[in-house]
C-alpha cells in the first residue's frame, strides 16, 4: 500500500517538473498546475512514509527506502522509452489501492 | 558567493573524479561481488545441483552432527550453519588431527558431504571484502576502497548541479550527455541505499581501519577484547577424556524455546568427543534486522544448559543493526530483490562513472596516453570481471566431480578467465575490445544454464518443484540478453563517434 502511494507521489512530483509535464499529464496539463502536483506529491510521499512507519515493524521502513530506486527507476525509464505504459501504471494505482483496501475490509 | 560556490563544485567534481578513478576498478569488483552475494545461498544451491534433499533444520543439523561424530577425529571444533528455507545443506567448517580447517556442504538427509565440492556463493561473498588477496591486504584494500566510495558519494552529491531538476531525466543516444544522465540516475535514485551500504560496509571493517580504541583498552590482549564483546560465551579447556555427545535435537529445541521461538542459525561444538565438549547454539540473523547475538551453551556429554546470553548493550546493538542492514540477512522475498537492485545500480554507477571519465575527455580532445590506458583498463575490468564470474559458473559445471581440490580449481578458472579478459581488453583497441568481450560475456551468461548437462538440471529442478535453479537460470539469460543488447549499439555508433572526433580536431 505504502509502495503504491509512493509510486503515485513520485509520479506527481515528476509531473510537477516543467520538462516532464507534457509526457506525464497529456491533456490534464490544463487542469493540474505544477504547484498543485508538487504539493500533492510531497503530501502523498509523506503519507506513504507515515504508513511504513505506522506498520510497526522497522523492516517496512527499510522496505520503503528500498522501493525508492524501483519506483523512481520505473518512472525514469518510462519517461525515456515508454510514456504510454507509465500512464497505464498510474491509472492502475488507485484500482490496486482500492483492491488492497477491500481485501483488508472484506474478509 | 556564487564564485565560491562554483569553485566548491569544481573542487568536489575534481575529488569525485579522482577518488572514483583511482579505486573505481576495485569498487567495481566489490560492488559486483557484493550484489551477487545477496543471493549467496541460492547461488550455492545452483552450484550443487546434485544436493536436492531437503529436511527440517533440526533434523538436518542432527544428521550432520551424527555424520561428523562418526567420521571426524581429533577436531578442535565444528562450526555449522543451519539449513533453512534458503540453503538446503548444512555448511560445516572443521579440522581433524591438527590439520587445516576444511569447509564442506553436508547433505541434510545423509549427513555426508555433497558430491560437487565447491565454494558456491561463498566465493562472491569472500571476493566482496577480501578480493582474493591474502589477509589483511584484501580487507585493507576493501576498506580503503569503501572510504573512497563514501568520499565519491558525498562529493558526487555536492558536485551535482541539478540534483532535483534532473531527477527523472534520461536522454538516450546523446553521447556524453546520456552517460552523465545514466550515471546520475543510477547514483541519485538509489542514494539512500548507496549511502547505507557504503557506510555500513565501512563500519564492518572498522576494527581494521581504526584499531586504536581496542589497542588503547586491551593492548595486545585480543582474547580479553573478544571476551568483553561476548561476555556470556562459555569457553573451557578440553578435559582430554573421551565422552560421547548427547543427542543434539533436544538442545536445539531448548535453545529455540529460549530465543522466544526464533529459529537457530548456527551451532558450534568445541572439543567434540571430549568430556568437556561445549555445544553453543546461536539465534538466526534472519529473525530481526540487527545481527545481535543470542546464544545458549550446553554441556556436550549431558546436554545440560551451562550458559545463556543475549546482547542488550545499546552501543553493541547499534553496531549490530548497522551490520545487519549491510548483510541483509533479515530481508526476504521482494526486499531481497530490492537489495539486489540497489547493489546492481551501485555497480552500474561505478561502471558508468569510469566510462564517463574517458568519454568526457574524448569529446574535448584526443585522449592522452594515460587516459588511453584508463580506457583499455575499463574494457578489461568492466567486461572482464563479470566474465570471470560467469567462468566460475562454467567451471562448476565442467570440472570432473572427483578432481582434487576441486573448489580451488573453480576459483582458479574464475581468476584465470578474468585475467585473460583483462589482458585482451588492454591489448585490443577499445573499439574492438568492448563488443568482443561483451559478446563473450553474453555467451557465457546464456550458456551457463546449459553447459555440462544440457537442460537436464533445469528439468530435474522443475519436476521436483524447485524454483531456485530455474530462477537463477532466468536471471543469467536476462543478463546475457541485456549484455547482447549493449553490444549492438556499442558497435554501431563507434564510427560516428570517431568521425565527430576527427571533425573537431582541425578546429
Amino acid at each position: 500500500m505504502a509502495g503504491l502511494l509512493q509510486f503515485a507521489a513520485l509520479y506527481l512530483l515528476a509531473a510537477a517538473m516543467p520538462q516532464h509535464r507534457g509526457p506525464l499529464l497529456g491533456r490534464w496539463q490544463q487542469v493540474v498546475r505544477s504547484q498543485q502536483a508538487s504539493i500533492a506529491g510531497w503530501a502523498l510521499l509523506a503519507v506513504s512514509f507515515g504508513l511504513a512507519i505506522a506498520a510497526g515493524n522497522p523492516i517496512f521502513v527499510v522496505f520503503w527506502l528500498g522501493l525508492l530506486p524501483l519506483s523512481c527507476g520505473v518512472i525514469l525509464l518510462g519517461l525515456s522509452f515508454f510514456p504510454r505504459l507509465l500512464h497505464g501504471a498510474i491509472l492502475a494505482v488507485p484500482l490496486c489501492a482500492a483492491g488492497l483496501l477491500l481485501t483488508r475490509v472484506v474478509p | 558567493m556564487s564564485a565560491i560556490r562554483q569553485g566548491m563544485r569544481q573542487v568536489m567534481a575534481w575529488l569525485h573524479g579522482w577518488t572514483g578513478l583511482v579505486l573505481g576498478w576495485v569498487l567495481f569488483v566489490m560492488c559486483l561481488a557484493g550484489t551477487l552475494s545477496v543471493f549467496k545461498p541460492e547461488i550455492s544451491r545452483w552450484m550443487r545441483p546434485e544436493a536436492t534433499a531437503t529436511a527440517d533444520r533440526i533434523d538436518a543439523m542432527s544428521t550432520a552432527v551424527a555424520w561428523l561424530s562418526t567420521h571426524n577425529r581429533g577436531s578442535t571444533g565444528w562450526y555449522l550453519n543451519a539449513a533453512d528455507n534458503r540453503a538446503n545443506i548444512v555448511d560445516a567448517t572443521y579440522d581433524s588431527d591438527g590439520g587445516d580447517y576444511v569447509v564442506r556442504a553436508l547433505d541434510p538427509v545423509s549427513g555426508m558431504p555433497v558430491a560437487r565440492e565447491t565454494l558456491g556463493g561463498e566465493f562472491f561473498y569472500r571476493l566482496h571484502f577480501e578480493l582474493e588477496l591474502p589477509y589483511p591486504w584484501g580487507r585493507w584494500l576493501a576498506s580503503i576502497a569503501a572510504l573512497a566510495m563514501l568520499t565519491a558519494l558525498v562529493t558526487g552529491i555536492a558536485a551535482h548541479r541539478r540534483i532535483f531538476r534532473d531527477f527523472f531525466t534520461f536522454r538516450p543516444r546523446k553521447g556524453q550527455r546520456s552517460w552523465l544522465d545514466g550515471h546520475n540516475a543510477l547514483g541519485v535514485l538509489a542514494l539512500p541505499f548507496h549511502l547505507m551500504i557504503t557506510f555500513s560496509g565501512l563500519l564492518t571493517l572498522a576494527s581494521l581501519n581504526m584499531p586504536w580504541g581496542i589497542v588503547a583498552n586491551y593492548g595486545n590482549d585480543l582474547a580479553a577484547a573478544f571476551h568483553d564483546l561476548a561476555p556470556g560465551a562459555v569457553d573451557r579447556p578440553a578435559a582430554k577424556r573421551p565422552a560421547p555427545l548427547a543427542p543434539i535435537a533436544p538442545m536445539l529445541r531448548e535453545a529455540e524455546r529460549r530465543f522466544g521461538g526464533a529459529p537457530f542459525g548456527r551451532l558450534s561444538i568445541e572439543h567434540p568427543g571430549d568430556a568437556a565438549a561445549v555445544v553453543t547454539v546461536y539465534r538466526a540473523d534472519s529473525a530481526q534486522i540487527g545481527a545481535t547475538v543470542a546464544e545458549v551453551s550446553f554441556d556436550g556429554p549431558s546436554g545440560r544448559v551451562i550458559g545463556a546470553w543475549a546482547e542488550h548493550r545499546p552501543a553493541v546493538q547499534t553496531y549490530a543493526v548497522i551490520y545487519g542492514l549491510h548483510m541483509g540477512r533479515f530481508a526476504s522475498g521482494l526486499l531481497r530483490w530490492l537489495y539486489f537492485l540497489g547493489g546492481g545500480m551501485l555497480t552500474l554507477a561505478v561502471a558508468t562513472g569510469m566510462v564517463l571519465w574517458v568519454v568526457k575527455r574524448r569529446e574535448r580532445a584526443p585522449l592522452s596516453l594515460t587516459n588511453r590506458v584508463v580506457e583499455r583498463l575499463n574494457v578489461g575490468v568492466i567486461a572482464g570481471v563479470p566474465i570471470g564470474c560467469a567462468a566460475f559458473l562454467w567451471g562448476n559445471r565442467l570440472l570432473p566431480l572427483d578432481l582434487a581440490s576441486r573448489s580451488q580449481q573453480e576459483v582458479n578458472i574464475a581468476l584465470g578467465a578474468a585475467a585473460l579478459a583483462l589482458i585482451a581488453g588492454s591489448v585490443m583497441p577499445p573499439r574492438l575490445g568492448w563488443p568482443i568481450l561483451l559478446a563473450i560475456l553474453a555467451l557465457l551468461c546464456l550458456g551457463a544454464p546449459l553447459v555440462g548437462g544440457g537442460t537436464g538440471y533445469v528439468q530435474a529442478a522443475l519436476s521436483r518443484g524447485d524454483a531456485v535453479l530455474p530462477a537463477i537460470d532466468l536471471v543469467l539469460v536476462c543478463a546475457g540478453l541485456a549484455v547482447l543488447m549493449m553490444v549492438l549499439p556499442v558497435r554501431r555508433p563507434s564510427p560516428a563517434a570517431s568521425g565527430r572526433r576527427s571533425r573537431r580536431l582541425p578546429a
Side-chain angles (χ1 to χ4, degrees):
Chain A
M1 188 71 197
L4 286 174
L5 283 183
Q6 187 194 57
F7 180 75
L10 290 165
Y11 190 97
L12 281 171
L13 282 179
M17 297 176 173
Q19 70 265 45
H20 302 316
R21 269 177 73 77
L24 285 183
L25 291 178
R27 270 172 295 141
W28 287 73
Q29 266 188 92
Q30 277 84 37
V31 187
V32 186
R33 268 187 294 157
S34 258
Q35 209 186 3
Q36 290 167 339
S38 167
I39 291 171
W42 283 113
L44 264 184
L45 201 61
V47 169
S48 73
F49 191 55
L51 275 181
I53 291 175
N57 191 332
I59 225 169
F60 287 102
V61 179
V62 181
F63 219 119
W64 190 89
L65 287 169
L67 271 176
L68 272 181
L70 186 65
S71 316
C72 300
V74 166
I75 295 177
L76 178 128
L77 289 179
L79 264 174
S80 311
F81 300 105
F82 350 81
R84 288 283 175 87
L85 272 183
L86 216 49
H87 293 165
I90 198 67
L91 288 177
V93 165
L95 288 178
C96 294
L100 267 180
L101 274 183
L102 267 180
T103 54
R104 287 281 170 77
V105 179
V106 171
Chain B
M1 179 63 197
S2 77
I4 294 172
R5 274 181 48 181
Q6 279 307 317
M8 191 196 75
R9 273 198 209 292
Q10 269 160 17
V11 171
M12 289 295 166
W14 179 87
L15 191 56
H16 181 78
W18 280 99
T19 46
L21 179 72
V22 172
L23 284 154
W25 296 299
V26 180
L27 284 170
F28 180 74
V29 178
M30 288 171 67
C31 292
L32 182 68
T35 305
L36 294 174
S37 306
V38 168
F39 289 112
K40 182 170 88 153
E42 286 80 6
I43 293 175
S44 298
R45 274 181 89 148
W46 189 92
M47 297 182 75
R48 296 190 187 101
E50 288 85 6
T52 55
T54 51
D56 170 64
R57 61 178 178 276
I58 291 182
D59 295 341
M61 188 55 88
S62 305
T63 37
V65 170
W67 185 85
L68 280 170
S69 303
T70 47
H71 291 86
N72 177 263
R73 287 277 172 275
S75 171
T76 52
W78 301 339
Y79 304 91
L80 303 138
N81 284 319
D84 53 25
N85 53 6
R86 300 178 58 206
N88 63 332
I89 48 95
V90 174
D91 183 59
T93 307
Y94 54 90
D95 62 346
S96 43
D97 294 322
D100 283 337
Y101 276 93
V102 293
V103 184
R104 291 286 178 272
L106 302 184
D107 189 274
V109 173
S110 70
M112 279 165 36
V114 299
R116 201 174 283 254
E117 188 200 322
T118 176
L119 284 179
E122 184 77 11
F123 169 69
F124 298 113
Y125 177 65
R126 292 279 154 187
L127 181 65
H128 173 56
F129 64 96
E130 288 178 337
L131 300 163
E132 290 294 319
L133 293 172
Y135 181 85
W137 303 107
R139 292 182 183 212
W140 264 106
L141 185 57
S143 57
I144 291 169
L147 210 55
M149 181 94 236
L150 196 59
T151 314
L153 281 175
V154 175
T155 52
I157 299 167
H160 193 344
R161 210 169 297 139
R162 297 148 54 94
I163 208 161
F164 281 109
R165 242 191 307 161
D166 280 352
F167 201 85
F168 296 108
T169 306
F170 179 69
R171 286 155 283 193
R173 294 182 225 294
K174 290 221 174 84
Q176 185 191 341
R177 182 82 260 167
S178 306
W179 284 106
L180 183 61
D181 278 347
H183 181 65
N184 286 343
L186 289 165
V188 172
L189 297 187
L191 197 57
F193 174 84
H194 296 340
L195 286 170
M196 178 283 282
I197 211 75
T198 309
F199 178 72
S200 58
L202 197 53
L203 219 61
T204 59
L205 293 173
S207 61
L208 198 68
N209 298 315
M210 300 189 289
W212 310 291
I214 298 173
V215 172
N217 283 301
Y218 297 97
N220 285 325
D221 191 3
L222 279 182
F226 281 126
H227 180 262
D228 281 355
L229 262 180
V234 177
D235 188 18
R236 62 184 187 190
K240 310 276 183 204
R241 278 182 289 110
L245 199 64
I248 209 84
M251 300 188 219
L252 297 174
R253 285 199 200 92
E254 170 64 16
E256 293 197 343
R257 194 183 62 74
R258 287 176 180 243
F259 297 149
F264 78 98
R266 285 185 300 132
L267 175 77
S268 73
I269 304 181
E270 306 284 342
H271 325 300
D274 187 273
V278 179
V279 177
T280 306
V281 185
Y282 301 86
R283 182 174 62 190
D285 286 340
S286 57
Q288 64 286 311
I289 292 182
T292 37
V293 179
E295 58 182 65
V296 183
S297 296
F298 301 86
D299 177 58
S302 70
R304 251 181 327 106
V305 175
I306 48 176
W309 171 72
E311 182 63 67
H312 287 298
R313 292 168 292 180
V316 185
Q317 274 195 313
T318 308
Y319 174 78
V321 167
I322 295 172
Y323 179 81
L325 269 176
H326 188 87
M327 305 304 284
R329 291 199 189 114
F330 64 92
S332 55
L334 179 59
L335 190 50
R336 181 154 292 278
W337 281 100
L338 292 176
Y339 261 85
F340 187 73
L341 174 71
M345 286 174 79
L346 189 57
T347 312
L348 289 176
V350 172
T352 50
M354 307 293 292
V355 172
L356 186 58
W357 172 277
V358 173
V359 170
K360 192 167 143 192
R361 279 154 186 80
R362 193 173 54 201
E363 297 215 344
R364 283 193 207 139
L367 287 178
S368 66
L369 182 64
T370 350
N371 281 332
R372 259 183 277 165
V373 173
V374 169
E375 188 180 19
R376 291 182 178 211
L377 282 177
N378 272 350
V379 183
V381 174
I382 294 173
V385 175
I387 284 180
C389 295
F392 182 63
L393 300 181
W394 277 59
N396 173 265
R397 288 292 194 252
L398 289 178
L399 288 178
L401 290 189
D402 51 359
L403 189 70
S405 62
R406 191 179 179 285
S407 58
Q408 189 51 46
Q409 296 293 343
E410 284 180 9
V411 175
N412 292 345
I413 288 181
L415 298 181
L420 270 181
L422 183 59
I423 293 169
S426 322
V427 174
M428 279 190 281
R431 223 169 7 136
L432 284 177
W434 275 121
I436 291 178
L437 287 184
L438 287 179
I440 291 175
L441 173 61
L443 291 180
L444 285 176
C445 286
L446 291 172
L450 297 176
V451 71
T455 53
Y457 293 122
V458 67
Q459 276 172 0
L462 285 174
S463 67
R464 61 169 190 272
D466 178 7
V468 173
L469 190 134
I472 291 188
D473 282 352
L474 196 64
V475 172
L476 279 168
V477 169
C478 290
L481 290 178
V483 174
L484 260 190
M485 278 168 65
M486 273 156 63
V487 175
L488 305 176
V490 163
R491 213 173 26 194
R492 260 183 277 131
S494 47
S498 53
R500 191 163 59 218
R501 188 167 43 170
S502 55
R503 250 192 326 229
R504 266 190 200 172
L505 268 180

